[in-house]
Every structure is written in structure tokens, then in C-alpha cells.
Amino acid sequence: MKKKKKRVSSFKIIVTGSLIAGAIILFCFYLDTKTDYHLIIIDKDGVASQIQTYDSLSMAKDNMRKLQHGENENYMITTDDGTRVAMRYGVLDFRTKKCTVNTEYTIDDRKETGYINGCYGADAIYLDTSKDGKQFKFMMGGVIGWVDRKDVRLLNYYDEKEVSSVSHYVVKDKTFLHKGTTDVTKAEYALSLDIGLPFQETSYDYYYSYDGHYFYSSFSSMSDDYQNDTRKNSINANAPYHNYYQYLSHRSISNYTAEDINTYISKELGYHAYPKGYPMGNGESMLYQSGKSFIDAQNKYSTNAIMMMSLSINETAYGTSELAFTKNNLFGHAAYDASPSKSANQYASSAESILVHASHFLNQGYLNACDGFKGTGTCNADQANRYRGAFFGDKESGMNVRYASDPYWGEKAAAFYRKFDNAMGKKDANFSLLIMDVDHVPVYQKPDKDSTILYYTPTIKHASYLLLDTMKNDQGTWYKIKSDAPLTSDGTQVDLNSTQYQAKVQEVYLLAEDKNR
């Protein structure tokens, strides 16, 4: 008897066929979208040769870093279409947009957003690429951050056609001059800033640093250290440098008088008249005879008069800018890059501008750890709108983080203070500073862990405070500092609506063992 043949359902055939077809389509799609990463060597003559191809960016980067290289040789990783996604010794060009548009980034260790305008500082050093290849890690103006790949250009440091100028330092008259570029394609420098002398032994022609603290004799040795998260090969590895005037607290009270300021402006700078119109005549400046206004603001709000003057010099080109004249705005208040003349604040007089700067922008804002605090309990300075330290600083810490899109804004203002102090007798050169990394560290009312916690520090590197004393007890070592934030008259809490600075109750304490925790 014959067995009946088993019938195969047409439905099953259709389903099975559909699955196979779908798998084939998915596989083809995978092949079509799969990214290959090509490791390429660029010799000293600029000739590029492919070494190997990888299907993993991480593997390609790992092998790139293991390879030895000769002098002026470089390695890079590209995709099939030639897009650069990684480089051994690279420069990121931030000048890729109009000067009215900033480039945003995320700070590496705290996920805070920041911003830089490439027209003020073009070059950053390349450090790494994200796993998905969409972001570059960089350092510039002291900050380590992540920027979208589409917002910058990754350039070969050794190719002079791509990179003709980068940030570096030269020694002149026993001081370091920071040479900064605003266009990496041109062999010229837009700024030359006196930062002091980081160390005595100066046997090299050029020094390199993108944080201003550790200095290197070559770009490659600096890049190697940065990418390995160390500073061991820097020239001053055991003693990081801090530009004194860049890290001096606004809470220091200058030893200069109103007459000293007026003398400097008239005799040293050559401005001997208040302007009658704009454009200003020769020797005319909005800063003429402004000494009393700066000192009056300092006396009421404990905001260093020479720091305020130096900042106004930087913002107004010595008090000669159109904005200073037309709006009496000496500090660039609300002069946003997109529309500086339209958005900037208007004041009745330059004296009012100085007073508002001291009261609103400094005392209640950039120096106030509780700026914008709307919660209950002790405020956390990480949540403050503007406060990242009471010093000029850079893009990692200090006022520069939130005040300006210029990564060297803090350095520029500090250079004007240094110039003033050198010319007028160095009366402000010896304040004691406490500089350390802090991470949500409590600021106590007394040198006792059971005393009131007034506020918590932000999470920043190279935080600077005006140091008054150091003492020890059974709880550890205490730093007595001048409070950045204004306190109430009894010194028990931050004054959220401060109209002055109660100088007698501003001595607060940090426990040494709390730092870097």
C-alpha cells in the first residue's frame, strides 16, 4: 500500500521564504551600512599610506597608539569616504563658524555644558574620539571637553598647510608670553599675554600647554601625556603653575587708592580726557578719572578694584569702545556674541556701570555660590547659574567658565592687572592663595565639622580661595578662607539677596581632608 505524500502548506512556504528574504535584506543592509576604519600613516613628507583596516573604531585606536613613529610622522584613522575620526597628534580647529556663533561642548568629568567662540581661540589639542565616532575629546583654555565632530575640523599637527600656528609660549624678559592664534591656517598670532614665570630653567625656544599649569618642550610629548591622563613628562611635573593674577580672588582688597588708579590711567596709559563724542579723540577714554568709582564699589562690596578695572580695560579696549561710550557699559554686560550692541545693558553713567558690576554681576552672581538657588537647605554650587570661583580663571574654573566665550578672557584680564601692578609698585603681589581641586566640598562656618555648612563648592579643578590662615585640631587641618559668597550679618547662611558684603563675618573654613574626595 502506497504511503500518502505529506502536503506542505503554502502558508508555511510563504512564511519561510519571507524570513529568508528578510534575512538577506538585513544582511545586505548591514554590509551597506557597516563602517570600516582605515589606519593610515602620514610620513614626514606628508605622504599617506594605509596600514590596516578594522571593523572596530576602538581596535583601530588601540593599535594606532601602540605604533612607534618617527620624527614628524603621524597616524590617523578614516572611514571609507575619507572622513577623519581619530589622530595620534591632532589639532581641533574651532574656527568653523561665523564669529557671532559659539560652539558648545560638554565638560568631561561633570557633564556640564560650556561654550567657546573660535574667533577668540581657534586651536584645541585633540585627545580622543567617542565610541560612536561622533564626538571629539579636546583640551583648550584649561578645560577637557567633548565636542560634536561636525562642529570642528580635525587637522594634522605636522602638516603646515593645515596647521601654521598653534597656542604656545616663548620666554622674553624673564617672563612667559602666551602666543595664541585665532586662525590656524595663518602663521601669525592674535595675542601675546604675559603670564609670569612658571619655572626658572628656560632652556627651550618654545613651550606648549593647553591648561597653563604644566608645560612641555614639544607638542608630541604633551599630547602623549594628555592622552594617557598624566603630566609626568612635563617640565614642571612636581609643581603645577598658577598664573597669580588669573587666580587671585575678587575678595582680595587692593592696596591701591583712587589716586593710584587715576595716575595710572593718565600717566601710564596716556588718557587725559573724558570723551566728548564717538569716535573718541586722541587721549580720550571712558576710564578717565574713574578711580573713585572703582574704590567706592570695592569698599561696599569687597570686590577688588584693580580686578574690576582690568576687566573693564579688556572689555572696552582701555575704555575706548563704542559700547562703552554709547551705553556707559564698561564690562560687556549682556553683550552677547550674536548681537553685542543691541543686547548690551545701558547705564546712566560709567560710575553706575561699575557699581552694578560689583553688586549684581559679582556679589550676587559670579562670586555667589548660591546664585540662582531656589531650593531649600544648603545650596550646592554645582547648581549655581554663574559661580565657578571668585577669580578670573579659564574655561575649567573661575569667572571665565560662564562670563565669556573667549577661552583666554581670564588670561587677558589678568595680564592687565599684572601690567598695572608692575608699573605701580607691586602692592598687590603678595596675597596668599589656596588652590586645589574640589568636588562638592562643604564650606563651614567654624573649624568644626559639627558647625553650620554654609554652602558646598562646585566640582572644579584648580579652585582658588583667598587664604587667611591654616590651623589643626583633632579633626584635621583647616583652611581659613575669605568666603566667596556674601553671608548674612550673623554669618550663619548665604545672603541670597545681598546688597553688600559683611566683611566682619566672611571668614569661613575648608577641611583639608575633604578636598579631592
Side-chain angles (χ1 to χ4, degrees):
M1 182 174 158
K2 293 182 179 180
K3 293 182 179 180
K4 291 183 179 180
K5 292 183 178 180
K6 189 175 181 181
R7 293 183 62 188
V8 179
S9 167
S10 59
F11 175 75
K12 289 184 178 180
I13 294 175
I14 293 172
V15 170
T16 302
S18 297
L19 289 174
I20 294 173
I24 293 173
I25 291 172
L26 287 174
F27 181 68
C28 291
F29 179 78
Y30 166 75
L31 291 177
D32 188 52
T33 59
K34 177 178 173 292
T35 301
D36 287 327
Y37 297 96
H38 309 287
L39 178 55
I40 295 170
I41 183 172
I42 310 169
D43 68 21
K44 62 182 180 180
D45 296 320
V47 178
S49 304
Q50 184 170 313
I51 299 175
Q52 184 62 276
T53 296
Y54 304 86
D55 58 11
S56 163
L57 177 57
S58 296
M59 185 178 295
K61 289 193 300 179
D62 288 343
N63 284 312
M64 178 180 70
R65 289 166 180 159
K66 292 176 184 177
L67 293 173
Q68 299 296 316
H69 62 91
E71 185 177 359
N72 294 342
E73 285 184 342
N74 207 351
Y75 296 98
M76 69 177 176
I77 299 169
T78 70
T79 54
D80 291 334
D81 62 359
T83 300
R84 297 175 178 181
V85 292
M87 191 170 291
R88 182 68 179 271
Y89 300 114
V91 172
L92 290 183
D93 181 12
F94 270 69
R95 188 161 184 173
T96 59
K97 304 175 180 178
K98 294 179 180 179
C99 293
T100 55
V101 181
N102 296 328
T103 295
E104 291 192 353
Y105 57 88
T106 302
I107 299 176
D108 180 53
D109 61 351
R110 57 183 186 264
K111 306 308 177 186
E112 175 186 350
T113 58
Y115 57 98
I116 284 173
N117 190 304
C119 292
Y120 294 114
D123 63 312
I125 184 171
Y126 164 83
L127 302 181
D128 199 0
T129 304
S130 60
K131 291 181 179 180
D132 62 7
K134 293 181 179 180
Q135 289 192 315
F136 290 139
K137 187 179 182 181
F138 71 93
M139 183 190 289
M140 183 185 193
V143 73
I144 296 175
W146 291 88
V147 62
D148 285 349
R149 194 180 75 191
K150 62 180 175 57
D151 287 334
V152 294
R153 294 192 303 148
L154 177 57
L155 307 177
N156 177 10
Y157 168 73
Y158 294 115
D159 187 342
E160 292 187 0
K161 294 179 180 178
E162 293 186 357
V163 181
S164 294
S165 58
V166 295
S167 173
H168 69 280
Y169 300 78
V170 296
V171 182
K172 183 178 181 180
D173 299 329
K174 296 183 178 180
T175 191
F176 269 40
L177 294 181
H178 183 190
K179 300 287 188 177
T181 182
T182 56
D183 188 343
V184 298
T185 65
K186 297 180 179 179
E188 56 189 43
Y189 293 89
L191 63 146
S192 180
L193 303 174
D194 185 349
I195 69 160
L197 190 64
F199 40 82
Q200 295 296 323
E201 181 59 39
T202 55
S203 54
Y204 297 97
D205 294 329
Y206 298 94
Y207 294 86
Y208 299 88
S209 175
Y210 278 83
D211 63 12
H213 306 303
Y214 296 93
F215 296 84
Y216 294 83
S217 60
S218 70
F219 186 93
S220 59
S221 63
M222 174 181 63
S223 182
D224 287 339
D225 259 16
Y226 286 178
Q227 292 186 29
N228 290 310
D229 195 23
T230 182
R231 303 294 181 268
K232 65 181 181 180
N233 294 310
S234 64
I235 294 170
N236 59 319
N238 296 323
Y241 178 67
H242 294 93
N243 179 355
Y244 172 79
Y245 296 96
Q246 192 176 352
Y247 287 85
L248 180 62
S249 172
H250 266 84
R251 294 307 187 187
S252 59
I253 302 302
S254 175
N255 294 296
Y256 291 102
T257 65
E259 184 178 352
D260 291 330
I261 295 174
N262 290 338
T263 297
Y264 178 76
I265 291 171
S266 60
K267 292 187 177 180
E268 295 293 330
L269 300 183
Y271 296 108
H272 49 74
Y274 197 80
K276 297 182 178 67
Y278 191 86
M280 298 180 192
N282 186 39
E284 294 181 344
S285 169
M286 295 293 291
L287 294 175
Y288 177 68
Q289 293 294 301
S290 61
K292 184 178 183 302
S293 296
F294 284 113
I295 295 298
D296 285 348
Q298 173 182 262
N299 290 342
K300 185 172 184 179
Y301 296 105
S302 285
T303 50
N304 184 298
I306 311 305
M307 289 185 75
M308 292 189 290
M309 183 198 70
S310 300
L311 174 52
S312 67
I313 288 175
N314 183 44
E315 289 288 343
T316 65
Y318 293 96
T320 64
S321 71
E322 183 178 4
L323 187 63
F325 179 77
T326 59
K327 292 196 170 185
N328 289 307
N329 189 332
L330 298 185
F331 302 93
H333 294 156
Y336 306 121
D337 290 313
S339 57
S341 58
K342 291 182 179 180
S343 61
N345 290 357
Q346 174 90 46
Y347 297 106
S349 66
S350 56
E352 182 187 43
S353 174
I354 294 169
L355 201 62
V356 171
H357 182 71
S359 62
H360 177 73
F361 285 89
L362 294 180
N363 200 46
Q364 296 178 24
Y366 289 95
L367 312 191
N368 195 331
C370 296
D371 172 41
F373 180 69
K374 300 185 186 304
T376 58
T378 305
C379 66
N380 174 8
D382 280 328
Q383 300 169 350
N385 290 339
R386 292 169 285 185
Y387 174 75
R388 294 297 181 271
F391 48 99
F392 287 141
D394 56 19
K395 276 300 179 180
E396 165 61 31
S397 60
M399 287 178 63
N400 199 166
V401 175
R402 291 294 182 188
Y403 199 102
S405 58
D406 181 351
Y408 304 120
W409 175 91
E411 265 190 52
K412 291 175 180 177
F416 287 119
Y417 199 153
R418 183 186 301 278
K419 184 178 179 181
F420 173 92
D421 207 20
N422 285 342
M424 300 302 289
K426 296 185 177 181
K427 295 179 182 179
D428 285 353
N430 296 306
F431 288 104
S432 295
L433 304 181
L434 170 66
I435 300 177
M436 62 185 192
D437 297 348
V438 293
D439 182 2
H440 195 62
V441 171
V443 178
Y444 294 92
Q445 183 185 13
K446 298 177 182 179
D448 183 350
K449 287 195 288 186
D450 292 327
S451 70
T452 300
I453 296 176
L454 300 166
Y455 56 90
Y456 290 91
T457 71
T459 300
I460 52 175
K461 298 180 179 68
H462 307 285
S464 181
Y465 304 94
L466 188 64
L467 181 63
L468 304 176
D469 198 4
T470 302
M471 60 193 70
K472 292 185 178 182
N473 59 23
D474 58 354
Q475 295 177 341
T477 300
W478 291 89
Y479 299 121
K480 182 180 181 181
I481 63 171
K482 196 80 168 287
S483 176
D484 287 347
L487 305 181
T488 54
S489 58
D490 59 2
T492 60
Q493 61 184 1
V494 175
D495 190 348
L496 298 179
N497 301 301
S498 175
T499 57
Q500 57 183 333
Y501 187 87
Q502 304 284 346
K504 293 182 180 180
V505 296
Q506 301 300 324
E507 296 174 354
V508 297
Y509 298 85
L510 293 172
L511 183 61
E513 285 72 16
D514 280 338
K515 71 176 183 177
N516 300 322
R517 62 179 184 164

